[in-house]
Amino acid sequence: MKKILGLVIVLALVAGGYYYWQWRSTPSPTAAAGATKGGARGPGGPTPVVAVPAAQSDVDVIVNGLGTVTPLRTVTVKSRVDGELVRVLFEEGQLVKEGQLLAEIDPRPFQVQLTQAQGQLERDRALLENARLDLERYQTLFKQDSIAKQQVDTQGSLVRQYEGAIRVDASQVENARLQLAYARVTAPVGGRLGLRQVDPGNIVHAGDTNGIVVITQLEPISVLYTVPQDLLPTVMKRLESGDQIGVEAWDREQKAKLADGALASADNQVDPQTGTVKLKARFANSDHGLFPQQFVNVRMKLDTLHDAVIVPPAAVQRGAQGMFVYVVQQDKTVALRPVKLGPADGQRQSITEGLQPGDTVVTDGTDRLRPGSPVEVAASRPEIKPPAGGPPAAKGKGRRSKDSG
């Protein structure tokens, strides 16, 4: 009796499970209607994609590189004489012009040296004048046969000695004036001043290492950057022909252009470790947008391709067969078209082979495509929306709740 009862219970559970599975797998009328209505976009319908026609335009051949802003001249201003620094006439970070007075060293010792040299010069001039008068007298007496020839020659030699002394004295005077001028420290170049290295009241020397201040030239300024050695023949050809190669300096995020300049020169050797060559571009930098030792992104316009086929970069795909694009055909199906890429200019990718102007290429939705797939071209990125009646799980829960109620 117990075995029969157990068998009846097992059969009842099996039957209940089967009917529950049938109830769960049967869609509601609303869901069935939604599925029928959206059947055109189901697995058997066309795939929605975004596509644009290939255009024809000029494309700039841009070479990108990472560069460092380098001033043309950086000068450490030093004193050329020893003495006490009595005045500093600049502010840290100030922009100065060439020849502008920066500092003064106590000039009194140099003024004394100048006065002493001038006095020695006047003394020797007086001696020379007296020696010349005596020479004239001796020459007259010699003509009268009143003195010996040796005395005349000795006096002439004395005159020449005084003339040499005058030249030495004159040079001493000029040297003293030069030392006095060095007591006024001026800017050898125009640019921006750095931090002051010495304060007034200190004794400065010509041999001091740090100097008084450092001047960095800002106008013009240069940028050093590297390019692959494969571009060197093209670059050198244009440089030797006298063509001006435009160079742009951008910030580190490549969002803001800092300055426009031109290529100035190239290094005379290739770095064998990196296979690159250094180039130097010069910028006017009148607005001081470039700062010394600043890192910038360089965009050099090396050439321009005319009437090139242009597509968005998103249209280009990479596969086992190389680079390709999906082209929308007249029958609303797509074909896989291998292409060869040319230079890219921002959001424009040039195609050198494989496309013609006007060919419609898929830019969004390529991950769901295969050659020959039917497509529906949309004006923007297609969005997958849930059915109008809500998610099936929610409706199932609602039905069960209703049935259970």
Side-chain angles (χ1 to χ4, degrees):
M1 187 66 181
K2 291 182 178 179
K3 293 182 178 180
I4 297 175
L5 183 59
L7 181 59
V8 171
I9 293 174
V10 171
L11 293 174
L13 291 174
V14 171
Y18 172 76
Y19 283 110
Y20 179 76
W21 176 76
Q22 288 286 340
W23 173 75
R24 288 286 297 168
S25 61
T26 303
S28 64
T30 306
T36 303
K37 184 177 179 180
R41 292 182 178 270
T47 303
V49 297
V50 177
V52 296
Q56 191 173 23
S57 177
D58 294 344
V59 177
D60 293 333
V61 180
I62 302 297
V63 178
N64 297 311
L66 183 62
T68 304
V69 180
T70 306
L72 296 181
R73 288 190 288 180
T74 300
V75 180
T76 300
V77 180
K78 297 182 179 181
S79 171
R80 302 184 69 172
V81 294
D82 299 343
E84 179 186 355
L85 185 64
V86 294
R87 285 204 305 166
V88 173
L89 304 173
F90 64 86
E91 297 292 336
E92 296 177 338
Q94 177 183 348
L95 293 174
V96 296
K97 298 180 179 180
E98 183 177 353
Q100 182 174 336
L101 182 62
L102 300 179
E104 284 187 353
I105 298 171
D106 187 2
R108 291 174 295 177
F110 311 108
Q111 184 64 52
V112 170
Q113 294 176 8
L114 176 60
T115 303
Q116 182 180 359
Q118 289 174 338
Q120 182 67 31
L121 176 61
E122 293 298 327
R123 174 179 175 275
D124 289 343
R125 280 178 176 172
L127 293 175
L128 175 61
E129 183 178 356
N130 182 66
R132 283 174 176 173
L133 291 175
D134 288 344
L135 178 60
E136 291 178 0
R137 297 189 188 100
Y138 292 163
Q139 289 174 345
T140 302
L141 294 174
F142 176 73
K143 291 178 180 179
Q144 298 174 358
D145 199 17
S146 300
I147 60 174
K149 180 70 167 58
Q150 182 180 0
Q151 191 173 359
V152 177
D153 294 340
T154 301
Q155 188 64 30
S157 177
L158 182 62
V159 169
R160 289 191 294 271
Q161 289 179 18
Y162 285 143
E163 289 175 348
I166 292 296
R167 294 189 182 93
V168 173
D169 294 341
S171 65
Q172 293 294 335
V173 171
E174 294 301 324
N175 181 67
R177 287 175 177 170
L178 186 61
Q179 300 302 310
L180 183 61
Y182 286 158
R184 294 170 54 88
V185 182
T186 58
V189 296
R192 186 185 298 277
L193 298 176
L195 302 180
R196 189 175 65 218
Q197 303 297 321
V198 63
D199 298 323
N202 288 282
I203 301 298
V204 295
H205 304 277
D208 291 343
T209 304
N210 295 330
I212 300 175
V213 71
V214 177
I215 302 179
T216 302
Q217 184 178 0
L218 299 180
E219 302 178 33
I221 204 166
S222 63
V223 173
L224 289 178
Y225 60 101
T226 57
V227 297
Q229 61 181 353
D230 298 338
L231 300 175
L232 189 57
T234 305
V235 173
M236 296 305 299
K237 183 178 180 181
R238 293 200 59 186
L239 276 177
E240 292 172 357
S241 64
D243 293 344
Q244 186 174 7
I245 303 177
V247 179
E248 298 176 351
W250 291 70
D251 62 357
R252 298 188 67 172
E253 298 180 354
Q254 298 195 29
K255 294 183 178 179
K257 185 169 69 171
L258 303 177
D260 290 300
L263 182 63
S265 59
D267 200 359
N268 59 354
Q269 58 184 348
V270 175
D271 188 345
Q273 297 181 353
T274 61
T276 58
V277 63
K278 291 182 181 179
L279 301 180
K280 177 185 285 188
R282 184 168 297 184
F283 296 82
N285 201 33
S286 57
D287 59 350
H288 300 166
L290 299 178
F291 204 80
Q293 305 306 320
Q294 176 185 6
F295 288 100
V296 295
N297 286 289
V298 176
R299 302 180 76 236
M300 180 175 64
K301 181 181 176 182
L302 193 58
D303 200 356
T304 301
L305 297 181
H306 300 284
D307 298 330
V309 179
I310 305 299
V311 297
V316 181
Q317 308 297 316
R318 181 185 298 273
Q321 67 276 20
M323 310 304 293
F324 67 92
V325 297
Y326 282 112
V327 178
V328 180
Q329 304 183 105
Q330 295 293 335
D331 58 355
K332 298 300 181 181
T333 60
V334 294
L336 187 149
R337 188 82 59 82
V339 295
K340 290 185 178 180
L341 304 184
D345 181 10
Q347 295 301 314
R348 302 190 306 166
Q349 174 64 59
S350 64
I351 304 297
T352 60
E353 186 177 334
L355 277 183
Q356 297 295 328
D359 290 345
T360 303
V361 295
V362 178
T363 60
D364 198 351
T366 57
D367 54 338
R368 302 185 299 272
L369 297 180
R370 296 293 182 271
S373 300
V375 295
E376 179 182 353
V377 179
S380 60
R381 180 181 177 89
E383 297 182 1
I384 301 177
K385 297 182 179 180
K395 294 202 298 180
K397 290 182 180 180
R399 184 175 62 185
R400 281 187 296 169
S401 175
K402 182 178 180 181
D403 293 344
S404 62

